[in-house]
Amino acid sequence: MIDSPSADPGNAGSPPTPLLVAVVRGIALVVVVPVRLAWEVVAAVGRWLHRWLLAPLGRFLDRWLLRPLGWLLRILVWVPLSWLGGGVAWLLRWLGLGLAWLLRTLVWVPLVWLARGLAWLARTVVWIPLAWLAYHLIWVPLRWLARLLAPLGRLLVAGLAAVGRWLAAVGRVLLGALGWAWWAAGRLLWWCYALTLRPFVLGARWLWRHAVRPVGRAVAAAWRATVSPAVRWVRRAVVDPVRQATREALTALGLRG
């Protein structure tokens, strides 16, 4: 349901609106009204679907499909795979220990000694000369150039700050116009709803309360009187014996502790 909007946020404690702000507000109102209407419709449809379709369907699937399927997968797949995985893990552990010892003795220790020698050679022959050249040929000229260009940089920063302040002022005007347009769109939609759709909503609510809900309760009572006993009988006569037989077979094969 569309709520009645509060007071105009653009007029609270502000001076009279300039002509430019009024024009921008009008354009923003034309753009925002369809967006606000679409938002309200989507929100109402989403609430109705969640309450009367998705939540009951989720509970039904969880109780009558996912839980029995999870139990079957655990007994028929997970328990045998866990036993097999334990044996494979034990074998791989001992193979990994042996392979790790071979790699450490034959590969890692020689590579460490070789890396230390190459690091000393790179530092002495390459890094120290390159650092000296970089300092005298790059860092010193760049520092001198930075000192020379510092006044120009300060001037550029001042210009960018001025442009930023101008853009901030324009942004405040646009945001104020959009806020007023959002408020005006809400108020317009609320009045449209109050004058057109609200009588139909009240009628639909009365029809739901005095016609659809009693019929639904009657259907639910018929379901509980016919389908629910049949489902309980299938569970006691078929599902529970199959579960017990599966448990006994796994125990006899040594696959269940």
Side-chain angles (χ1 to χ4, degrees):
M1 179 180 290
I2 302 175
D3 298 328
S4 176
S6 59
D8 185 355
N11 293 332
S14 61
T17 306
L19 179 60
L20 176 62
V21 175
V23 173
V24 175
R25 283 185 174 185
I27 297 174
L29 176 61
V30 173
V31 175
V32 169
V33 165
V35 178
R36 181 66 183 267
L37 178 59
W39 173 267
E40 299 294 344
V41 172
V42 170
V45 172
R47 290 193 297 269
W48 186 88
L49 288 177
H50 178 269
R51 181 177 180 183
W52 299 109
L53 180 62
L54 297 180
L57 181 61
R59 291 192 295 269
F60 178 82
L61 293 177
D62 178 70
R63 181 176 180 182
W64 299 107
L65 178 62
L66 297 180
R67 292 182 183 177
L69 182 60
W71 180 85
L72 289 175
L73 289 176
R74 179 180 178 274
I75 298 300
L76 301 180
V77 178
W78 176 251
V79 174
L81 286 179
S82 63
W83 282 89
L84 180 62
V88 173
W90 179 85
L91 180 61
L92 291 177
R93 178 177 178 272
W94 286 102
L95 290 176
L97 290 175
L99 183 61
W101 182 85
L102 290 176
L103 289 175
R104 181 180 182 277
T105 304
L106 301 179
V107 178
W108 178 251
V109 174
L111 284 179
V112 168
W113 284 98
L114 180 61
R116 289 177 179 176
L118 291 177
W120 179 85
L121 183 63
R123 179 179 181 277
T124 305
V125 178
V126 178
W127 175 251
I128 293 177
L130 284 180
W132 186 88
L133 291 175
Y135 177 79
H136 290 86
L137 298 181
I138 298 177
W139 174 249
V140 174
L142 284 179
R143 186 172 58 183
W144 177 82
L145 183 62
R147 292 177 179 176
L148 182 64
L149 297 178
L152 181 61
R154 287 192 293 270
L155 180 61
L156 180 61
V157 169
L160 291 177
V163 173
R165 287 191 296 270
W166 181 82
L167 290 177
V170 174
R172 285 193 298 271
V173 172
L174 291 177
L175 288 177
L178 286 176
W180 177 87
W182 184 263
W183 167 83
R187 190 172 182 85
L188 178 62
L189 292 176
W190 184 85
W191 280 109
C192 292
Y193 165 78
L195 296 176
T196 58
L197 295 180
R198 188 178 182 183
F200 294 100
V201 171
L202 294 177
R205 182 182 299 173
W206 183 90
L207 182 64
W208 172 265
R209 182 178 300 172
H210 295 87
V212 177
R213 183 181 292 177
V215 172
R217 290 176 177 174
V219 172
W223 179 275
R224 289 192 297 269
T226 57
V227 177
S228 296
V231 171
R232 288 195 295 270
W233 179 84
V234 169
R235 182 177 181 180
R236 291 194 300 267
V238 179
V239 176
D240 290 343
V242 169
R243 182 184 301 172
Q244 183 65 27
T246 304
R247 186 184 295 111
E248 293 176 356
L250 292 176
T251 304
L253 294 175
L255 298 177
R256 180 181 177 86

